[in-house]
Coordinates of all heavy atoms in Angstrom, one line a residue:
M245 N 8.3 -2.1 -14.1 CA 8.1 -1.3 -12.9 C 9.4 -0.6 -12.5 O 10.5 -1.2 -12.6 CB 7.6 -2.1 -11.7 CG 7.3 -1.3 -10.5 SD 6.6 -2.2 -9.1 CE 5.1 -2.9 -9.9
T246 N 9.4 0.6 -12.1 CA 10.5 1.4 -11.7 C 10.9 1.1 -10.3 O 10.1 0.9 -9.5 CB 10.2 2.9 -11.9 OG1 9.7 3.2 -13.2 CG2 11.4 3.8 -11.6
E247 N 12.2 1.1 -10.0 CA 12.7 1.0 -8.7 C 12.4 2.3 -7.9 O 12.6 3.4 -8.5 CB 14.2 0.7 -8.6 CG 14.6 -0.7 -9.0 CD 14.0 -1.7 -8.0 OE1 14.2 -1.6 -6.8 OE2 13.4 -2.7 -8.5
P248 N 11.9 2.2 -6.7 CA 11.7 3.5 -5.9 C 13.0 4.2 -5.7 O 14.0 3.6 -5.5 CB 11.0 3.0 -4.7 CG 11.4 1.6 -4.5 CD 11.6 1.0 -5.9
K249 N 12.9 5.5 -5.6 CA 14.0 6.4 -5.4 C 14.1 6.8 -3.9 O 13.1 7.3 -3.4 CB 13.8 7.7 -6.3 CG 14.9 8.7 -6.1 CD 14.6 9.9 -6.9 CE 15.6 11.1 -6.5 NZ 14.9 12.4 -6.7
Q250 N 15.3 6.7 -3.4 CA 15.5 7.2 -2.0 C 15.5 8.7 -2.0 O 16.1 9.3 -2.8 CB 16.8 6.7 -1.5 CG 17.2 7.2 -0.1 CD 18.5 6.7 0.4 OE1 18.8 5.5 0.4 NE2 19.4 7.6 0.8
T251 N 14.7 9.3 -1.1 CA 14.7 10.7 -1.0 C 15.5 11.3 0.1 O 15.8 12.5 0.1 CB 13.2 11.2 -1.0 OG1 12.5 10.6 0.1 CG2 12.5 11.0 -2.3
Q252 N 15.6 10.5 1.1 CA 16.6 10.8 2.2 C 17.0 9.5 2.9 O 16.3 8.5 2.8 CB 16.0 11.9 3.2 CG 14.8 11.5 4.0 CD 14.4 12.6 4.9 OE1 14.5 13.8 4.6 NE2 13.9 12.3 6.1
A253 N 18.1 9.6 3.6 CA 18.7 8.4 4.2 C 18.1 8.0 5.5 O 18.6 7.1 6.1 CB 20.2 8.6 4.3
G254 N 17.1 8.6 5.9 CA 16.4 8.3 7.2 C 14.9 8.7 7.0 O 14.5 9.1 6.0
P255 N 14.2 8.5 8.1 CA 12.7 8.7 8.1 C 12.3 10.2 8.1 O 13.1 11.0 8.5 CB 12.2 8.0 9.3 CG 13.4 8.1 10.3 CD 14.6 8.0 9.4
Y256 N 11.1 10.4 7.6 CA 10.5 11.7 7.8 C 9.6 11.6 9.1 O 8.7 10.8 9.1 CB 9.5 12.0 6.6 CG 10.2 12.2 5.3 CD1 10.5 11.1 4.5 CD2 10.6 13.5 4.9 CE1 11.1 11.3 3.2 CE2 11.2 13.7 3.7 CZ 11.4 12.6 2.8 OH 12.1 12.8 1.6
V257 N 10.0 12.3 10.1 CA 9.2 12.3 11.3 C 8.3 13.4 11.3 O 8.7 14.6 11.3 CB 10.2 12.3 12.5 CG1 9.4 12.3 13.8 CG2 11.2 11.2 12.5
V258 N 7.0 13.1 11.2 CA 6.0 14.1 11.0 C 4.8 13.9 12.0 O 4.5 12.7 12.4 CB 5.4 14.2 9.6 CG1 6.5 14.6 8.6 CG2 4.9 12.8 9.2
E259 N 4.2 15.0 12.4 CA 3.0 14.8 13.3 C 1.8 14.9 12.4 O 1.7 15.9 11.6 CB 3.0 15.9 14.3 CG 1.8 15.7 15.3 CD 1.9 16.7 16.5 OE1 3.0 16.9 17.0 OE2 0.8 17.3 16.8
L260 N 0.9 14.0 12.4 CA -0.3 13.9 11.6 C -1.5 14.0 12.4 O -1.6 13.2 13.4 CB -0.3 12.7 10.7 CG 0.9 12.5 9.7 CD1 0.8 11.2 9.0 CD2 1.0 13.7 8.7
G261 N -2.5 14.8 12.0 CA -3.8 14.8 12.6 C -4.7 13.7 12.0 O -4.3 13.0 11.1
P262 N -5.8 13.5 12.6 CA -6.8 12.5 12.1 C -7.1 12.7 10.6 O -7.3 13.8 10.2 CB -8.0 12.7 12.9 CG -7.6 13.4 14.2 CD -6.4 14.2 13.8
G263 N -7.1 11.6 9.9 CA -7.4 11.7 8.4 C -6.7 10.7 7.6 O -6.1 9.7 8.2
E264 N -6.7 10.8 6.3 CA -6.2 9.9 5.4 C -5.0 10.6 4.7 O -5.1 11.7 4.3 CB -7.2 9.5 4.4 CG -6.7 8.6 3.3 CD -7.8 8.4 2.2 OE1 -8.0 9.2 1.3 OE2 -8.5 7.3 2.3
Y265 N -3.9 9.9 4.5 CA -2.7 10.4 3.9 C -2.2 9.3 2.9 O -2.5 8.1 3.1 CB -1.6 10.7 4.9 CG -2.0 11.7 6.0 CD1 -2.7 11.3 7.1 CD2 -1.8 13.1 5.8 CE1 -3.1 12.2 8.1 CE2 -2.3 14.0 6.7 CZ -2.9 13.5 7.8 OH -3.3 14.4 8.8
W266 N -1.4 9.8 1.9 CA -0.9 8.8 0.9 C 0.6 9.0 0.9 O 1.1 10.1 0.5 CB -1.5 9.1 -0.4 CG -3.0 8.7 -0.4 CD1 -4.0 9.5 -0.1 CD2 -3.5 7.4 -0.7 NE1 -5.2 8.8 -0.2 CE2 -4.9 7.5 -0.6 CE3 -3.0 6.2 -1.1 CZ2 -5.8 6.4 -0.8 CZ3 -3.8 5.1 -1.3 CH2 -5.2 5.2 -1.2
W267 N 1.3 7.9 1.3 CA 2.8 8.0 1.3 C 3.3 7.7 -0.1 O 2.9 6.8 -0.8 CB 3.3 6.9 2.3 CG 4.8 6.7 2.3 CD1 5.7 7.5 2.9 CD2 5.5 5.6 1.7 NE1 7.0 7.0 2.8 CE2 6.9 5.9 2.0 CE3 5.2 4.5 1.0 CZ2 7.9 5.0 1.6 CZ3 6.2 3.7 0.6 CH2 7.5 3.9 0.9
C268 N 4.3 8.5 -0.5 CA 4.9 8.4 -1.8 C 5.8 7.1 -1.9 O 6.8 7.1 -1.1 CB 5.7 9.6 -2.1 SG 6.8 9.4 -3.6
S269 N 5.5 6.1 -2.7 CA 6.3 4.9 -2.7 C 7.3 5.0 -3.8 O 8.2 4.2 -3.8 CB 5.4 3.7 -3.0 OG 4.7 3.8 -4.2
C270 N 7.2 5.9 -4.8 CA 8.1 6.0 -5.9 C 9.3 6.9 -5.6 O 10.4 6.7 -6.2 CB 7.4 6.4 -7.2 SG 6.9 8.1 -7.2
G271 N 9.1 7.8 -4.7 CA 10.2 8.8 -4.4 C 10.3 9.9 -5.3 O 11.3 10.7 -5.3
L272 N 9.4 10.1 -6.2 CA 9.4 11.2 -7.2 C 8.6 12.4 -6.9 O 8.6 13.5 -7.5 CB 9.1 10.7 -8.6 CG 9.9 9.6 -9.1 CD1 9.4 9.1 -10.5 CD2 11.4 10.0 -9.2
S273 N 7.7 12.3 -5.8 CA 6.9 13.4 -5.5 C 7.7 14.6 -5.0 O 8.7 14.5 -4.4 CB 6.0 13.0 -4.3 OG 5.2 14.1 -3.8
D274 N 7.1 15.8 -5.4 CA 7.7 17.1 -4.9 C 7.2 17.4 -3.5 O 7.5 18.5 -3.0 CB 7.4 18.2 -5.9 CG 8.3 18.1 -7.1 OD1 9.4 17.5 -7.1 OD2 7.8 18.6 -8.2
N275 N 6.3 16.6 -3.0 CA 5.7 16.9 -1.7 C 6.0 15.7 -0.7 O 5.2 15.2 0.0 CB 4.2 17.0 -1.9 CG 3.5 17.4 -0.6 OD1 4.0 18.2 0.2 ND2 2.3 16.9 -0.4
Q276 N 7.3 15.4 -0.6 CA 7.8 14.3 0.3 C 7.4 14.5 1.7 O 7.4 15.6 2.2 CB 9.3 14.1 0.2 CG 9.7 13.6 -1.2 CD 9.2 12.2 -1.5 OE1 9.0 11.4 -0.6 NE2 8.9 12.0 -2.8
P277 N 7.0 13.5 2.4 CA 6.9 12.1 2.0 C 5.6 11.7 1.4 O 5.3 10.5 1.4 CB 7.2 11.3 3.3 CG 6.5 12.2 4.3 CD 6.7 13.6 3.9
F278 N 4.8 12.6 1.0 CA 3.4 12.3 0.5 C 3.4 12.3 -1.0 O 4.1 13.0 -1.7 CB 2.5 13.3 1.1 CG 2.5 13.3 2.6 CD1 3.1 14.4 3.3 CD2 2.0 12.2 3.3 CE1 3.2 14.4 4.7 CE2 2.1 12.2 4.7 CZ 2.7 13.3 5.4
C279 N 2.4 11.6 -1.5 CA 2.2 11.5 -3.0 C 1.6 12.8 -3.6 O 0.8 13.5 -3.0 CB 1.1 10.4 -3.2 SG 0.7 10.2 -4.9
D280 N 2.2 13.1 -4.7 CA 1.6 14.3 -5.5 C 1.1 13.8 -6.9 O 0.9 14.7 -7.7 CB 2.6 15.4 -5.6 CG 3.8 15.1 -6.5 OD1 3.9 14.0 -7.0 OD2 4.6 16.0 -6.7
G281 N 1.1 12.5 -7.1 CA 0.6 12.0 -8.4 C 1.7 11.8 -9.4 O 1.4 11.3 -10.5
T282 N 2.9 12.1 -9.1 CA 4.0 11.9 -10.1 C 4.2 10.5 -10.5 O 4.6 10.2 -11.7 CB 5.3 12.5 -9.5 OG1 5.1 13.9 -9.2 CG2 6.4 12.4 -10.5
H283 N 3.9 9.5 -9.6 CA 4.0 8.1 -10.0 C 3.3 7.8 -11.3 O 3.7 7.0 -12.1 CB 3.6 7.2 -8.9 CG 2.1 7.3 -8.6 ND1 1.6 8.3 -7.7 CD2 1.1 6.6 -9.0 CE1 0.3 8.1 -7.7 NE2 -0.1 7.1 -8.4
D284 N 2.1 8.4 -11.5 CA 1.3 8.2 -12.7 C 1.9 8.9 -13.9 O 2.1 8.3 -15.0 CB -0.1 8.7 -12.5 CG -1.0 7.6 -12.0 OD1 -0.7 6.4 -12.1 OD2 -2.1 7.9 -11.4
T285 N 2.3 10.2 -13.8 CA 2.8 10.9 -14.9 C 4.1 10.4 -15.4 O 4.5 10.5 -16.5 CB 2.8 12.4 -14.6 OG1 3.6 12.6 -13.4 CG2 1.5 13.0 -14.4
A286 N 4.9 9.9 -14.4 CA 6.2 9.3 -14.8 C 6.2 7.9 -15.2 O 7.2 7.3 -15.6 CB 7.2 9.5 -13.6
G287 N 5.0 7.3 -15.1 CA 4.8 5.9 -15.5 C 5.6 4.9 -14.7 O 6.2 3.9 -15.3
T288 N 5.7 5.1 -13.4 CA 6.5 4.2 -12.6 C 5.9 2.8 -12.4 O 6.7 1.9 -12.1 CB 6.8 4.8 -11.2 OG1 5.5 4.9 -10.5 CG2 7.4 6.2 -11.3
G289 N 4.6 2.7 -12.5 CA 4.0 1.4 -12.1 C 3.8 1.3 -10.6 O 3.4 0.2 -10.2
L290 N 4.3 2.2 -9.8 CA 4.2 2.2 -8.4 C 3.0 2.9 -7.9 O 2.6 3.9 -8.6 CB 5.5 2.7 -7.7 CG 6.8 2.0 -8.1 CD1 8.0 2.8 -7.6 CD2 6.7 0.6 -7.5
K291 N 2.5 2.5 -6.8 CA 1.3 3.2 -6.2 C 1.6 3.7 -4.8 O 2.3 3.0 -4.1 CB 0.1 2.2 -6.2 CG -0.3 1.7 -7.5 CD -1.0 2.7 -8.3 CE -1.5 2.2 -9.7 NZ -1.8 3.2 -10.6
P292 N 1.0 4.8 -4.4 CA 1.2 5.3 -3.1 C 0.5 4.4 -2.0 O -0.4 3.6 -2.4 CB 0.5 6.7 -3.1 CG -0.5 6.6 -4.1 CD 0.1 5.7 -5.2
L293 N 1.0 4.4 -0.8 CA 0.3 3.6 0.3 C -0.5 4.5 1.1 O 0.0 5.6 1.5 CB 1.4 2.9 1.1 CG 2.2 1.8 0.4 CD1 3.2 1.2 1.3 CD2 1.3 0.8 -0.2
R294 N -1.7 4.1 1.5 CA -2.6 4.8 2.3 C -2.3 4.7 3.7 O -1.9 3.6 4.2 CB -4.0 4.3 2.0 CG -5.1 5.0 2.7 CD -6.5 4.4 2.3 NE -7.6 5.0 3.0 CZ -8.0 4.5 4.2 NH1 -7.4 3.5 4.7 NH2 -9.0 5.1 4.8
I295 N -2.3 5.8 4.4 CA -2.1 5.9 5.9 C -3.4 6.4 6.5 O -3.9 7.5 6.1 CB -1.0 6.8 6.3 CG1 0.3 6.4 5.5 CG2 -0.7 6.8 7.8 CD1 1.4 7.5 5.5
E296 N -4.0 5.7 7.4 CA -5.1 6.2 8.2 C -4.7 6.5 9.6 O -4.2 5.7 10.3 CB -6.2 5.1 8.2 CG -7.4 5.4 8.9 CD -8.4 6.3 8.1 OE1 -8.5 6.1 6.9 OE2 -9.1 7.1 8.8
I297 N -4.9 7.8 9.9 CA -4.6 8.2 11.3 C -5.9 8.5 12.0 O -6.7 9.3 11.6 CB -3.7 9.5 11.2 CG1 -2.4 9.2 10.5 CG2 -3.5 10.0 12.6 CD1 -1.4 8.3 11.2
A298 N -6.1 7.9 13.2 CA -7.3 8.1 13.9 C -7.2 9.2 15.0 O -8.1 9.9 15.2 CB -7.7 6.7 14.6
K299 N -6.0 9.3 15.5 CA -5.8 10.3 16.6 C -4.4 10.9 16.3 O -3.4 10.2 15.9 CB -5.8 9.5 17.9 CG -5.6 10.4 19.1 CD -5.7 9.6 20.4 CE -5.5 10.4 21.6 NZ -5.4 9.6 22.8
R300 N -4.3 12.2 16.5 CA -3.1 13.0 16.3 C -1.9 12.3 16.9 O -1.9 11.9 18.1 CB -3.2 14.4 16.8 CG -1.9 15.2 16.6 CD -2.1 16.7 16.9 NE -2.9 17.3 15.9 CZ -2.5 17.8 14.7 NH1 -1.3 17.7 14.4 NH2 -3.4 18.3 13.9
R301 N -0.8 12.0 16.1 CA 0.3 11.4 16.6 C 1.5 11.6 15.7 O 1.4 12.0 14.5 CB 0.1 9.9 16.8 CG -0.1 9.1 15.5 CD -0.4 7.6 15.8 NE -0.7 6.9 14.6 CZ 0.0 5.9 14.1 NH1 1.2 5.6 14.6 NH2 -0.4 5.3 13.0
E302 N 2.7 11.3 16.2 CA 3.9 11.5 15.4 C 4.2 10.1 14.8 O 4.1 9.1 15.4 CB 5.1 11.9 16.3 CG 6.3 12.2 15.6 CD 7.4 12.7 16.6 OE1 8.1 11.9 17.2 OE2 7.4 13.9 16.8
V303 N 4.6 10.2 13.5 CA 4.9 8.9 12.8 C 6.3 9.1 12.1 O 6.6 10.3 11.7 CB 3.9 8.5 11.7 CG1 2.5 8.2 12.4 CG2 3.6 9.6 10.7
A304 N 7.0 8.0 11.9 CA 8.2 8.1 11.1 C 8.0 7.3 9.8 O 7.8 6.1 9.8 CB 9.3 7.4 11.9
L305 N 8.0 8.1 8.7 CA 7.7 7.6 7.4 C 9.0 7.3 6.7 O 9.9 8.2 6.7 CB 6.8 8.5 6.6 CG 5.4 8.8 7.3 CD1 4.6 9.8 6.5 CD2 4.6 7.5 7.4
C306 N 9.1 6.2 6.0 CA 10.3 5.8 5.4 C 10.8 6.8 4.3 O 9.9 7.1 3.4 CB 10.2 4.4 4.8 SG 11.6 3.7 3.9
G307 N 12.0 7.2 4.3 CA 12.6 8.0 3.3 C 13.5 7.3 2.3 O 13.8 7.7 1.2
C308 N 14.0 6.1 2.8 CA 15.0 5.3 2.0 C 14.3 4.4 1.0 O 14.9 3.9 0.1 CB 15.9 4.6 2.9 SG 15.2 3.1 3.7
R309 N 13.0 4.1 1.3 CA 12.1 3.3 0.4 C 12.5 1.8 0.5 O 12.1 1.0 -0.3 CB 12.1 3.7 -1.0 CG 11.7 5.2 -1.3 CD 10.4 5.4 -0.7 NE 9.7 6.6 -1.0 CZ 9.9 7.9 -0.6 NH1 10.9 8.1 0.2 NH2 9.2 8.9 -0.9
Q310 N 13.3 1.4 1.6 CA 13.7 0.0 1.7 C 13.1 -0.7 2.9 O 13.4 -1.8 3.2 CB 15.2 0.0 1.8 CG 16.0 0.6 0.7 CD 15.7 -0.1 -0.6 OE1 15.7 -1.4 -0.7 NE2 15.4 0.6 -1.7
S311 N 12.3 0.1 3.7 CA 11.6 -0.5 4.8 C 10.8 -1.8 4.5 O 10.2 -1.8 3.4 CB 10.7 0.5 5.5 OG 10.0 -0.1 6.5
K312 N 10.8 -2.7 5.3 CA 9.9 -3.9 5.1 C 8.6 -3.7 5.8 O 7.7 -4.6 5.8 CB 10.6 -5.2 5.7 CG 11.8 -5.5 4.9 CD 12.6 -6.6 5.6 CE 13.9 -6.9 4.9 NZ 14.8 -5.7 4.9
N313 N 8.4 -2.5 6.3 CA 7.1 -2.2 7.0 C 6.6 -0.8 6.4 O 6.1 0.0 7.2 CB 7.3 -2.1 8.5 CG 5.9 -1.9 9.2 OD1 4.9 -2.4 8.8 ND2 5.9 -1.1 10.3
K314 N 6.7 -0.7 5.1 CA 6.2 0.6 4.5 C 4.8 0.8 4.8 O 4.0 -0.1 4.8 CB 6.4 0.5 2.9 CG 7.9 0.3 2.5 CD 7.9 0.2 1.0 CE 9.3 -0.1 0.5 NZ 9.7 -1.5 0.7
P315 N 4.4 2.0 5.0 CA 5.1 3.3 4.8 C 6.0 3.7 6.0 O 6.6 4.8 5.9 CB 4.0 4.3 4.5 CG 2.9 3.8 5.4 CD 3.0 2.3 5.3
F316 N 6.1 2.9 7.0 CA 6.8 3.3 8.2 C 8.2 2.8 8.2 O 8.6 1.8 7.6 CB 6.1 2.7 9.4 CG 4.6 3.1 9.5 CD1 3.6 2.2 9.2 CD2 4.3 4.4 9.8 CE1 2.3 2.6 9.2 CE2 2.9 4.8 9.9 CZ 1.9 3.9 9.6
C317 N 9.0 3.6 8.8 CA 10.5 3.3 9.0 C 10.6 2.1 9.9 O 9.9 2.0 10.9 CB 11.2 4.5 9.6 SG 12.9 4.1 10.1
D318 N 11.4 1.1 9.5 CA 11.7 -0.1 10.4 C 13.2 -0.2 10.7 O 13.6 -1.2 11.3 CB 11.2 -1.3 9.7 CG 12.1 -1.8 8.5 OD1 12.9 -1.0 8.1 OD2 11.9 -2.9 8.0
G319 N 13.9 0.9 10.4 CA 15.4 0.9 10.8 C 16.3 0.4 9.7 O 17.5 0.4 9.8
T320 N 15.7 -0.1 8.6 CA 16.5 -0.6 7.5 C 17.5 0.4 7.0 O 18.6 0.0 6.6 CB 15.6 -1.2 6.4 OG1 14.8 -2.2 6.9 CG2 16.4 -1.7 5.2
H321 N 17.1 1.7 7.0 CA 18.0 2.7 6.5 C 19.4 2.7 7.2 O 20.4 3.0 6.6 CB 17.4 4.1 6.6 CG 17.2 4.5 8.1 ND1 16.0 4.2 8.8 CD2 18.0 5.2 8.9 CE1 16.2 4.7 10.0 NE2 17.3 5.3 10.1
E322 N 19.4 2.2 8.4 CA 20.7 2.2 9.1 C 21.7 1.1 8.6 O 22.8 1.1 8.9 CB 20.5 1.9 10.6 CG 19.7 3.0 11.3 CD 19.4 2.7 12.7 OE1 19.7 1.7 13.2 OE2 18.7 3.6 13.3
T323 N 21.1 0.2 7.8 CA 22.0 -0.9 7.2 C 22.5 -0.5 5.8 O 23.2 -1.3 5.2 CB 21.2 -2.2 7.1 OG1 20.1 -2.1 6.2 CG2 20.6 -2.6 8.5
L324 N 22.0 0.6 5.2 CA 22.3 1.0 3.9 C 23.6 1.8 3.9 O 23.8 2.7 4.7 CB 21.2 1.8 3.3 CG 19.8 1.2 3.3 CD1 18.8 2.1 2.7 CD2 19.8 -0.1 2.5
E325 N 24.6 1.4 3.0 CA 25.8 2.1 3.0 C 25.8 3.3 2.2 O 26.4 4.3 2.5 CB 26.9 1.1 2.4 CG 27.3 0.0 3.4 CD 28.4 -0.8 2.9 OE1 29.1 -0.4 2.0 OE2 28.5 -2.0 3.4
T326 N 25.1 3.3 1.1 CA 25.0 4.5 0.2 C 23.6 4.7 -0.2 O 22.8 3.7 -0.3 CB 25.9 4.3 -1.1 OG1 25.5 3.2 -1.7 CG2 27.4 4.2 -0.7
P327 N 23.2 5.9 -0.5 CA 21.9 6.2 -1.0 C 21.7 5.4 -2.3 O 22.6 5.3 -3.1 CB 21.9 7.7 -1.3 CG 23.0 8.2 -0.5 CD 24.0 7.1 -0.4
S328 N 20.4 4.9 -2.4 CA 20.1 4.2 -3.7 C 19.5 5.1 -4.7 O 19.1 6.2 -4.4 CB 19.1 3.0 -3.4 OG 18.0 3.5 -2.7
Ligands
FES1312 S1 14.0 5.5 6.4 FE1 13.6 3.7 5.3 S2 13.8 2.2 6.9 FE2 14.1 4.1 7.9

């Protein structure tokens, strides 16, 4: 299994309407922070995480890939010294 790639040193703060979304867990998608299927073509062994939004709201999605509450930011990025 491939280690996930950090795509930015902080969260992606996005407003999402009701629906289903897939957070990119590998960091290789060209459509950050969402999955574009690259995890499969690159053979990472990683899978995207599903996000279900019931009511329009702002969410902070992890960009450093180190959160312990993926796909959401938990502040872990603040403890990282250098991008991974
Ligand atoms: S961006 Fe990863 S924990 Fe905040």
